[in-house]
DNA sequence: GCCGTTTTCGGCCCGACTGTTTTCAGTCG
């Protein structure tokens, strides 16, 4: 069994225990186990094989009882305790929990009172007005449930880029390594690095298309083959996403790649230019008087159309073609070019790793500096830090900075913005920090006017450097807060506040159009991971993709610069 | 359920906010 499968089981047990109103510390013990296993650098199965149950008990937060449960899972593939709980409360926890405002206690209550087991049943009951009649619920709760379900439906069928990227890239690499495949590249919205993708479109060049297709359908992840031909094969992968493979001859490569990368609007605009120049553009090539003049790659294809090469992330027909005509395309911030990360949580609050472990992971990833920005005191549930603890953490950071070479740790915090715009941490404490980030964590439903005023009030604090995940959206889970983003950008400009591009796969916040607005206004940005584990640093690439889709250049991104330069770019 | 120079039991953690209560339960991350 994989670490993440085992971790998921412990997280699920924690949820069941929450339903049953178990002792909160017992619940936390199970949650902590999930977190520990999830962020383990080695295979837990291997650990167990080497050191047995004793090795499991060596792990932090894992004692006799839980170690025995892990052993049972590794030996039998099942856990009796878990199976019993599932049988006792047979509900779709994952689905129901995704409805905003629905947690474990309500799931159990709804199951007991109305027998609700799934989101579909919940929706039906809400529509029939059954929810509002329950004690503890009311008209507003019922309305919020329906709103939450509506929101879920809208995002159904799309997958987070960050979640499918590892598998998609792996398949791409497997195809590339085949001796009879000359080129293989994922196209579609994946190549444009959209936040979510509907399916994986792969383009390959080969003289032996049948062999490529045979390989493709026999991959272990394939659970269904929708269709298989010489040029196109469509399959369903075991994680629920569809994958299409197209094999084209080399001479069509440039045009095919361009066509399958999209976007549709971008392609239509390109075809119009071709027609204007008495050419014809299709997925087979760019033809002038019947002759394919597309060349060997997309650069030559764009060139033949009289355009500078347009990066995939810009291909939305949102001004990029005009810019390419006038040679005014941005020089986009490059992948792997970040020097630091200014939002990181540690095990002082809800992160999995210590400050030192995070610093070493960051260094190994190639960063030169990081800011530790644990949550502040009003997020009590996750042990948010008060002024005293922040000062104490600062001392630990001083010691680590002396000890560690090649990575500089900055002192920071993710300060909670209260409902009225006040910060929950004293100025005298913030003054001592290198990086003060602020963020909204509650009262997401304020009106646009209230919310904008709230955030502006917070931004106007002289110690504040960065507004973290400005719109607070969780893709597919929670809509963005109501915010006058233009006004926020204005205030960012006048106060020198940096706006964040959060790289977490389900956040990606700011989003592309807001980034573009900020860039245009001359407001600086920072690409952070919001890492809660040392494994999260690769998510920075998603943040860079987001920045690129927002037309951001190196000059716009403060952490693309070395520490000294970066510090000059923030408020003093 | 875990942990231990406070060491085998008692602490771990203790706030804001909503929507529903008429004094509080549940969610948030």
């Amino acid at each position: 069994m994989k670490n993440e499968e085992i971790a998921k089981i412990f997280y699920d047990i924690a949820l069941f225990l929450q339903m049953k109103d178990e002792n909160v510390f017992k619940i936390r013990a199970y949650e902590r186990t999930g977190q520990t296993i999830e962020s383990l650098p080695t295979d837990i199965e291997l650990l167990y094989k080497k050191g047995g149950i004793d090795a499991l008990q060596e792990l932090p937060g894992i004692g006799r009882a839980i170690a025995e449960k892990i052993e049972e899972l590794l030996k039998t593939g099942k856990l009796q305790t878990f199976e019993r709980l599932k049988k006792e409360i047979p509900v779709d926890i994952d689905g129901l929990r995704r409805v905003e405002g629905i947690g474990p206690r309500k799931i159990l209550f709804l199951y007991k009172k109305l027998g609700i087991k799934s989101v579909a049943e919940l929706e039906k009951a809400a529509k029939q007005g059954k929810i509002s009649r329950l004690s503890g619920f009311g008209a507003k709760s019922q309305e919020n449930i329906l709103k939450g379900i509506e929101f879920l439906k809208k995002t159904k069928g799309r997958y987070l880029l960050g979640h499918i990227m590892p598998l998609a890239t792996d398949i791409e690499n497997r195809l590339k390594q085949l001796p009879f495949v000359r080129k293989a590249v994922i196209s579609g919205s994946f190549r444009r690095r959209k936040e979510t993708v509907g399916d994986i479109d792969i383009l390959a060049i080969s003289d032996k298309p049948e062999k490529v297709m045979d390989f493709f359908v026999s991959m272990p992840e394939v659970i269904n083959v929708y269709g298989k031909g010489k040029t196109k094969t469509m399959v369903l992968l075991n994680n629920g996403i569809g994958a299409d493979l197209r094999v084209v001859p080399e001479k069509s490569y440039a045009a095919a790649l361009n066509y399958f990368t999209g976007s549709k609007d971008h392609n239509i605009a390109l075809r119009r230019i071709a027609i204007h120049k008495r050419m014809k553009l299709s997925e087979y090539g760019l033809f002038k008087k019947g002759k394919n003049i597309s060349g060997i790659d997309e650069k030559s294809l764009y060139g033949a159309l009289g355009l500078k090469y347009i990066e995939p992330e810009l291909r939305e027909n949102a001004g990029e073609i005009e810019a390419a005509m006038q040679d005014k395309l941005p020089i986009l911030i490059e992948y792997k070019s970040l020097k630091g990360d200014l939002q990181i949580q540690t095990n002082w609050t809800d992160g999995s790793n210590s400050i030192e472990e995070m610093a070493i992971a960051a260094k190994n990833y190639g960063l030169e500096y990081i800011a530790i920005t644990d949550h502040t005191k009003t997020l009590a549930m996750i042990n948010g830090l008060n002024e005293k603890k922040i000062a104490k953490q600062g001392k630990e950071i001083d010691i680590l900075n002396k000890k560690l070479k090649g990575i500089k740790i900055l002192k920071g915090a993710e300060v909670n913005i209260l409902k009225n715009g006040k910060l929950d941490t004293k100025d005298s404490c913030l003054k001592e920090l290198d990086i003060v980030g602020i963020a909204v964590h509650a009262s997401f439903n304020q009106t646009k006017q209230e919310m904008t005023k709230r955030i502006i009030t917070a931004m106007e604090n002289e110690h504040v450097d960065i507004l973290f995940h400005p719109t607070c959206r969780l893709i597919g889970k929670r809509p963005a807060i109501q915010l006058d983003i233009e006004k926020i950008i204005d205030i960012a400009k006048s106060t020198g506040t940096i706006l964040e591009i959060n790289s977490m796969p389900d956040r990606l916040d700011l989003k592309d159009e807001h980034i573009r607005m900020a860039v245009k206004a001359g407001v600086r940005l920072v690409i952070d991971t919001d890492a809660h584990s040392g494994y999260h640093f690769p998510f920075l690439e998603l943040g860079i993709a987001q920045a690129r889709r927002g037309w951001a250049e190196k000059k716009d991104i403060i952490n693309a610069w070395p520490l000294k330069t970066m510090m000059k770019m923030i408020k003093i």
Side-chain angles (χ1 to χ4, degrees), chain A residues 25 30 61 63 66 103 105-106 136-138 140-141 378 381 419 443-444 478:
Chain A
F25 301 109
Y30 279 92
I66 290 186
R105 299 286 300 156
K106 285 186 181 168
F137 289 79
K140 200 136 191 182
S141 307
T378 44
M381 177 113 184
K419 204 183 163 189
S443 290
F444 297 116
R478 182 174 69 209

Coordinates of all heavy atoms in Angstrom, one line a residue, chain A residues 25 30 61 63 66 103 105-106 136-138 140-141 378 381 419 443-444 478, chain B residues 1-3 11-21 25-29:
Chain A
F25 N -8.7 15.1 21.2 CA -7.2 14.7 21.1 C -7.0 13.4 20.4 O -6.0 13.2 19.8 CB -6.6 14.8 22.5 CG -6.8 16.2 23.1 CD1 -7.7 16.4 24.1 CD2 -6.1 17.2 22.6 CE1 -7.9 17.6 24.7 CE2 -6.3 18.5 23.1 CZ -7.2 18.7 24.1
Y30 N -5.2 10.8 15.1 CA -5.4 10.2 13.8 C -5.1 11.1 12.7 O -4.4 10.7 11.7 CB -6.8 9.6 13.7 CG -7.0 8.3 14.4 CD1 -7.5 8.2 15.7 CD2 -6.8 7.1 13.8 CE1 -7.6 7.0 16.4 CE2 -6.9 5.9 14.4 CZ -7.3 5.9 15.7 OH -7.5 4.7 16.3
G61 N 4.3 11.0 17.0 CA 2.8 11.0 17.1 C 2.2 9.6 16.9 O 1.0 9.5 16.9
G63 N 2.0 5.8 18.3 CA 2.2 5.0 19.4 C 1.8 3.5 19.1 O 1.6 3.2 18.0
I66 N -1.8 2.9 17.1 CA -1.8 3.3 15.7 C -0.8 2.4 14.9 O -1.1 2.0 13.8 CB -1.6 4.8 15.5 CG1 -2.9 5.5 16.1 CG2 -1.3 5.2 14.1 CD1 -2.9 7.0 15.8
G103 N -19.9 19.6 7.5 CA -18.7 18.9 8.2 C -19.2 17.6 8.7 O -20.4 17.2 8.5
R105 N -20.1 16.4 11.7 CA -21.2 16.3 12.6 C -22.5 16.4 11.8 O -23.5 15.7 12.1 CB -21.1 17.4 13.6 CG -19.9 17.3 14.5 CD -19.9 16.2 15.5 NE -21.1 16.3 16.5 CZ -21.6 15.3 17.1 NH1 -21.1 14.1 16.9 NH2 -22.6 15.5 17.9
K106 N -22.5 17.3 10.9 CA -23.8 17.5 10.1 C -24.0 16.3 9.2 O -25.2 16.0 9.0 CB -23.7 18.8 9.3 CG -23.9 20.0 10.1 CD -24.0 21.3 9.3 CE -24.1 22.5 10.3 NZ -23.9 23.8 9.6
G136 N -31.7 22.9 14.4 CA -30.3 23.2 14.2 C -30.1 23.7 12.8 O -29.1 24.4 12.5
F137 N -31.0 23.5 11.9 CA -30.9 24.0 10.5 C -32.1 25.0 10.3 O -33.0 25.1 11.1 CB -31.1 22.9 9.5 CG -29.9 22.0 9.4 CD1 -29.7 20.9 10.4 CD2 -29.0 22.1 8.4 CE1 -28.7 20.1 10.3 CE2 -27.9 21.2 8.3 CZ -27.7 20.2 9.3
G138 N -32.0 25.8 9.3 CA -33.1 26.7 9.0 C -33.1 27.0 7.5 O -32.4 26.3 6.8
K140 N -31.9 29.4 5.9 CA -30.6 29.9 5.4 C -29.6 28.7 5.2 O -28.9 28.7 4.2 CB -30.0 30.9 6.4 CG -29.0 31.8 5.8 CD -29.1 33.2 6.2 CE -28.2 34.1 5.3 NZ -28.3 35.5 5.7
S141 N -29.6 27.8 6.1 CA -28.7 26.6 6.0 C -29.1 25.9 4.7 O -28.2 25.4 3.9 CB -28.9 25.7 7.2 OG -28.7 26.4 8.4
T378 N -5.6 33.9 16.1 CA -7.1 33.7 16.0 C -7.4 32.5 15.3 O -8.6 32.0 15.3 CB -7.8 34.9 15.4 OG1 -7.1 35.4 14.3 CG2 -7.9 36.1 16.4
M381 N -7.7 26.9 16.2 CA -7.9 25.5 15.9 C -6.6 24.8 15.4 O -6.4 23.6 15.7 CB -8.9 25.4 14.8 CG -9.2 24.0 14.4 SD -10.8 23.6 14.8 CE -10.8 21.9 14.3
K419 N -12.8 40.4 10.9 CA -14.0 40.9 10.2 C -14.0 42.4 9.9 O -14.4 42.8 8.9 CB -15.2 40.5 11.0 CG -16.4 40.3 10.1 CD -17.6 40.0 11.0 CE -18.9 40.3 10.2 NZ -20.1 40.2 11.1
S443 N -15.5 34.6 7.6 CA -16.4 35.6 7.1 C -16.2 35.8 5.7 O -16.0 37.0 5.2 CB -16.3 36.9 7.9 OG -16.7 36.8 9.2
F444 N -16.3 34.8 4.9 CA -16.1 34.9 3.5 C -17.3 35.5 2.8 O -17.2 35.9 1.6 CB -15.8 33.5 2.9 CG -14.6 32.8 3.4 CD1 -14.7 31.6 4.1 CD2 -13.3 33.3 3.1 CE1 -13.5 31.0 4.6 CE2 -12.2 32.7 3.6 CZ -12.3 31.5 4.3
R478 N -14.7 26.3 -3.2 CA -15.3 27.5 -2.6 C -15.1 28.6 -3.6 O -14.0 28.8 -4.1 CB -14.6 27.8 -1.3 CG -15.1 29.0 -0.6 CD -14.4 29.2 0.8 NE -13.0 29.5 0.6 CZ -12.0 29.2 1.5 NH1 -12.4 28.6 2.6 NH2 -10.8 29.6 1.3
Chain B
dG1 P -7.6 4.4 20.9 OP1 -7.6 3.5 19.8 OP2 -8.2 4.6 22.1 O5' -6.6 5.7 20.6 C5' -6.3 6.0 19.3 C4' -5.1 6.8 19.3 O4' -5.3 8.1 19.9 C3' -3.9 6.2 20.1 O3' -2.7 6.4 19.4 C2' -3.9 6.9 21.4 C1' -4.4 8.3 21.0 N9 -5.2 9.0 22.1 C8 -6.3 8.5 22.7 N7 -6.7 9.4 23.6 C5 -5.9 10.4 23.6 C6 -5.8 11.6 24.3 O6 -6.6 12.0 25.2 N1 -4.7 12.5 23.9 C2 -3.8 12.1 22.9 N2 -2.9 13.0 22.7 N3 -3.9 11.0 22.2 C4 -4.9 10.2 22.6
dC2 P -1.3 5.9 19.9 OP1 -0.5 5.5 18.7 OP2 -1.5 5.1 21.0 O5' -0.7 7.3 20.4 C5' -0.5 8.4 19.4 C4' 0.3 9.5 20.0 O4' -0.4 10.2 21.1 C3' 1.6 9.0 20.7 O3' 2.7 9.8 20.3 C2' 1.3 9.1 22.2 C1' 0.3 10.2 22.3 N1 -0.7 10.1 23.4 C2 -0.9 11.1 24.2 O2 -0.2 12.2 24.1 N3 -1.8 11.0 25.2 C4 -2.6 9.9 25.3 N4 -3.5 9.9 26.3 C5 -2.4 8.8 24.4 C6 -1.5 9.0 23.4
dC3 P 4.2 9.3 20.7 OP1 5.0 9.8 19.6 OP2 4.1 7.9 21.1 O5' 4.5 10.2 21.9 C5' 4.4 11.6 21.9 C4' 4.5 12.2 23.3 O4' 3.3 11.9 24.0 C3' 5.7 11.5 24.1 O3' 6.7 12.4 24.2 C2' 5.0 11.0 25.4 C1' 3.7 11.7 25.4 N1 2.6 10.8 25.9 C2 1.7 11.3 26.9 O2 1.9 12.5 27.3 N3 0.7 10.6 27.4 C4 0.6 9.3 26.9 N4 -0.4 8.6 27.4 C5 1.4 8.8 25.9 C6 2.4 9.5 25.5
dG11 P -4.3 18.5 34.0 OP1 -3.9 19.2 35.2 OP2 -5.7 18.2 33.7 O5' -3.7 19.2 32.7 C5' -2.3 19.4 32.6 C4' -1.7 19.2 31.2 O4' -1.9 17.8 30.9 C3' -2.4 20.0 30.1 O3' -1.5 20.7 29.4 C2' -3.2 19.0 29.3 C1' -2.3 17.8 29.5 N9 -2.9 16.5 29.3 C8 -4.1 16.0 29.9 N7 -4.4 14.8 29.5 C5 -3.4 14.5 28.5 C6 -3.3 13.3 27.8 O6 -4.0 12.3 27.7 N1 -2.2 13.4 26.9 C2 -1.3 14.5 26.9 N2 -0.3 14.4 26.0 N3 -1.5 15.6 27.6 C4 -2.5 15.5 28.4
dC12 P -1.8 21.9 28.4 OP1 -0.7 22.8 28.4 OP2 -3.2 22.4 28.8 O5' -1.9 21.2 27.0 C5' -0.7 20.7 26.4 C4' -1.1 19.8 25.2 O4' -1.9 18.7 25.8 C3' -2.1 20.5 24.2 O3' -1.3 20.6 23.0 C2' -3.2 19.4 24.0 C1' -2.6 18.2 24.7 N1 -3.6 17.3 25.2 C2 -3.6 15.9 24.8 O2 -2.8 15.6 23.9 N3 -4.6 15.1 25.2 C4 -5.5 15.5 26.1 N4 -6.4 14.6 26.5 C5 -5.5 16.9 26.6 C6 -4.6 17.7 26.1
dC13 P -0.9 22.1 22.5 OP1 -0.3 21.9 21.2 OP2 -0.1 22.7 23.7 O5' -2.3 22.9 22.5 C5' -2.8 23.2 21.2 C4' -4.2 23.8 21.4 O4' -5.1 22.7 21.9 C3' -4.2 24.8 22.6 O3' -4.2 26.1 22.0 C2' -5.4 24.5 23.4 C1' -6.1 23.4 22.6 N1 -6.7 22.4 23.5 C2 -8.0 22.0 23.3 O2 -8.7 22.5 22.4 N3 -8.6 21.2 24.2 C4 -7.9 20.7 25.2 N4 -8.5 19.8 26.0 C5 -6.6 21.0 25.4 C6 -6.0 21.9 24.5
dC14 P -4.1 27.3 23.1 OP1 -3.1 28.2 22.5 OP2 -4.0 26.8 24.5 O5' -5.6 28.0 23.0 C5' -6.4 27.8 21.8 C4' -7.8 27.9 22.2 O4' -8.3 26.7 22.8 C3' -8.1 29.1 23.1 O3' -9.2 29.8 22.6 C2' -8.4 28.4 24.5 C1' -9.0 27.1 24.0 N1 -8.9 26.0 25.0 C2 -9.9 25.0 25.1 O2 -10.9 25.1 24.3 N3 -9.8 24.1 26.1 C4 -8.8 24.1 26.9 N4 -8.7 23.1 27.8 C5 -7.7 25.1 26.8 C6 -7.8 26.0 25.9
dG15 P -9.5 31.2 23.3 OP1 -8.3 31.7 24.0 OP2 -10.7 31.0 24.1 O5' -9.8 32.1 22.1 C5' -8.7 32.9 21.5 C4' -9.2 33.4 20.1 O4' -9.3 32.2 19.3 C3' -10.6 34.0 20.2 O3' -10.6 35.1 19.3 C2' -11.5 32.9 19.8 C1' -10.7 32.2 18.8 N9 -11.0 30.7 18.7 C8 -11.0 29.8 19.7 N7 -11.4 28.6 19.2 C5 -11.6 28.8 17.9 C6 -12.0 27.9 16.9 O6 -12.2 26.7 17.0 N1 -12.1 28.5 15.6 C2 -11.8 29.8 15.4 N2 -12.0 30.2 14.1 N3 -11.5 30.7 16.3 C4 -11.4 30.1 17.5
dA16 P -11.8 36.1 19.3 OP1 -11.2 37.5 19.3 OP2 -12.8 35.7 20.2 O5' -12.3 35.8 17.8 C5' -11.4 36.0 16.7 C4' -12.2 35.8 15.4 O4' -12.5 34.3 15.3 C3' -13.5 36.5 15.3 O3' -13.7 37.0 14.0 C2' -14.6 35.4 15.7 C1' -13.9 34.1 15.1 N9 -14.2 32.9 15.9 C8 -14.2 32.7 17.2 N7 -14.5 31.5 17.6 C5 -14.7 30.8 16.4 C6 -15.1 29.5 16.1 N6 -15.3 28.6 17.0 N1 -15.4 29.2 14.8 C2 -15.2 30.1 13.9 N3 -14.8 31.4 14.0 C4 -14.6 31.7 15.3
dC17 P -14.8 38.0 13.7 OP1 -14.3 38.8 12.6 OP2 -15.3 38.7 14.9 O5' -15.9 37.0 13.2 C5' -15.7 36.3 12.0 C4' -16.8 35.2 11.9 O4' -16.6 34.2 12.9 C3' -18.2 35.7 12.0 O3' -18.8 35.9 10.7 C2' -18.9 34.7 12.8 C1' -17.9 33.6 13.0 N1 -17.9 32.8 14.2 C2 -18.2 31.4 14.2 O2 -18.4 30.9 13.1 N3 -18.2 30.7 15.4 C4 -18.0 31.3 16.5 N4 -18.1 30.6 17.6 C5 -17.7 32.7 16.6 C6 -17.7 33.4 15.4
dT18 P -20.2 36.4 10.5 OP1 -20.2 37.0 9.2 OP2 -20.7 37.0 11.7 O5' -21.0 35.0 10.4 C5' -20.6 34.0 9.5 C4' -21.5 32.8 9.5 O4' -21.3 32.1 10.7 C3' -23.0 33.2 9.5 O3' -23.6 32.5 8.4 C2' -23.5 32.9 10.8 C1' -22.5 31.8 11.3 N1 -22.2 31.7 12.8 C2 -22.3 30.5 13.4 O2 -22.5 29.5 12.9 N3 -22.0 30.6 14.8 C4 -21.6 31.7 15.5 O4 -21.4 31.6 16.7 C5 -21.6 32.9 14.7 C7 -21.3 34.2 15.5 C6 -21.9 32.9 13.4
dG19 P -25.1 32.9 8.0 OP1 -25.2 32.6 6.5 OP2 -25.4 34.3 8.4 O5' -26.0 31.9 8.8 C5' -25.7 30.5 8.6 C4' -26.5 29.7 9.7 O4' -25.8 30.0 11.0 C3' -27.9 30.2 9.9 O3' -28.8 29.0 10.0 C2' -27.9 31.0 11.2 C1' -26.8 30.2 11.9 N9 -26.2 31.0 13.0 C8 -26.0 32.4 13.1 N7 -25.4 32.8 14.2 C5 -25.3 31.6 14.9 C6 -24.8 31.4 16.2 O6 -24.3 32.2 17.0 N1 -24.9 30.0 16.6 C2 -25.4 29.0 15.8 N2 -25.4 27.8 16.4 N3 -25.9 29.2 14.6 C4 -25.8 30.5 14.2
dT20 P -30.3 29.1 9.8 OP1 -30.7 28.1 8.9 OP2 -30.7 30.6 9.6 O5' -30.8 28.8 11.3 C5' -30.7 27.4 11.7 C4' -30.4 27.3 13.2 O4' -29.3 28.2 13.5 C3' -31.5 27.8 14.2 O3' -32.4 26.8 14.4 C2' -30.6 28.0 15.4 C1' -29.3 28.5 14.9 N1 -29.1 30.0 15.1 C2 -28.4 30.4 16.2 O2 -28.0 29.7 17.0 N3 -28.3 31.8 16.3 C4 -28.7 32.7 15.4 O4 -28.5 33.9 15.5 C5 -29.4 32.2 14.2 C7 -30.0 33.2 13.2 C6 -29.6 30.9 14.1
dT21 P -33.6 27.1 15.2 OP1 -34.7 26.1 14.9 OP2 -33.9 28.6 15.1 O5' -33.0 26.8 16.6 C5' -32.9 27.9 17.6 C4' -31.9 27.4 18.6 O4' -30.6 27.9 18.3 C3' -32.2 28.1 20.0 O3' -33.1 27.4 20.7 C2' -30.8 28.2 20.6 C1' -30.0 28.6 19.4 N1 -30.1 30.1 19.1 C2 -29.3 31.0 19.9 O2 -28.6 30.6 20.8 N3 -29.4 32.3 19.6 C4 -30.2 32.9 18.6 O4 -30.2 34.1 18.4 C5 -31.0 31.9 17.8 C7 -31.9 32.4 16.7 C6 -30.9 30.6 18.1
dA25 P -23.3 22.8 22.8 OP1 -23.6 21.8 23.8 OP2 -22.0 23.5 22.8 O5' -23.5 22.1 21.4 C5' -24.7 22.1 20.7 C4' -24.5 22.1 19.2 O4' -24.2 23.4 18.7 C3' -23.3 21.2 18.8 O3' -23.7 20.5 17.7 C2' -22.2 22.2 18.5 C1' -23.0 23.4 18.0 N9 -22.4 24.7 18.3 C8 -21.8 25.2 19.5 N7 -21.4 26.4 19.5 C5 -21.8 26.8 18.2 C6 -21.6 28.1 17.6 N6 -21.0 29.1 18.1 N1 -22.1 28.2 16.3 C2 -22.6 27.1 15.7 N3 -22.9 25.9 16.2 C4 -22.4 25.8 17.5
dG26 P -22.6 19.5 17.0 OP1 -23.5 18.4 16.5 OP2 -21.5 19.2 18.0 O5' -22.1 20.3 15.8 C5' -23.0 20.8 14.8 C4' -22.2 21.6 13.8 O4' -21.8 22.9 14.5 C3' -20.9 21.0 13.4 O3' -20.9 20.9 12.0 C2' -19.8 21.9 13.8 C1' -20.5 23.2 14.0 N9 -19.9 24.1 15.1 C8 -19.6 23.8 16.4 N7 -19.1 24.8 17.0 C5 -19.1 25.8 16.1 C6 -18.7 27.2 16.3 O6 -18.2 27.7 17.3 N1 -18.9 27.9 15.1 C2 -19.4 27.4 14.0 N2 -19.6 28.3 12.9 N3 -19.8 26.2 13.8 C4 -19.6 25.4 14.9
dT27 P -19.7 20.3 11.1 OP1 -20.4 19.6 10.0 OP2 -18.8 19.6 12.0 O5' -19.0 21.5 10.6 C5' -19.7 22.5 9.8 C4' -18.8 23.7 9.6 O4' -18.5 24.4 10.8 C3' -17.4 23.3 9.0 O3' -17.3 24.1 7.8 C2' -16.4 23.8 10.0 C1' -17.2 24.9 10.8 N1 -16.8 25.1 12.2 C2 -16.5 26.4 12.6 O2 -16.5 27.3 11.8 N3 -16.1 26.5 13.9 C4 -16.1 25.5 14.8 O4 -15.7 25.8 16.0 C5 -16.4 24.2 14.4 C7 -16.4 23.0 15.3 C6 -16.7 24.0 13.1
dC28 P -16.1 23.8 6.8 OP1 -16.5 24.1 5.4 OP2 -15.5 22.5 7.1 O5' -15.0 24.9 7.2 C5' -15.3 26.3 7.0 C4' -14.2 27.1 7.6 O4' -14.2 27.0 9.1 C3' -12.8 26.7 7.2 O3' -12.0 27.8 6.9 C2' -12.2 26.1 8.5 C1' -12.9 26.9 9.6 N1 -12.9 26.3 10.9 C2 -12.7 27.1 12.0 O2 -12.6 28.3 11.8 N3 -12.7 26.6 13.3 C4 -12.9 25.3 13.4 N4 -12.9 24.8 14.7 C5 -13.1 24.4 12.3 C6 -13.1 24.9 11.1
dG29 P -11.0 27.8 5.6 OP1 -10.8 29.2 5.2 OP2 -11.5 26.8 4.7 O5' -9.7 27.3 6.3 C5' -8.9 28.2 7.1 C4' -7.8 27.4 7.7 O4' -8.3 26.3 8.4 C3' -6.8 26.8 6.6 O3' -5.5 26.9 7.1 C2' -7.2 25.3 6.6 C1' -7.7 25.0 7.9 N9 -8.8 24.1 8.0 C8 -9.9 23.9 7.1 N7 -10.7 23.0 7.4 C5 -10.2 22.4 8.5 C6 -10.6 21.4 9.3 O6 -11.6 20.7 9.2 N1 -9.8 21.1 10.4 C2 -8.7 21.8 10.7 N2 -8.0 21.5 11.8 N3 -8.2 22.8 10.0 C4 -9.0 23.1 8.9

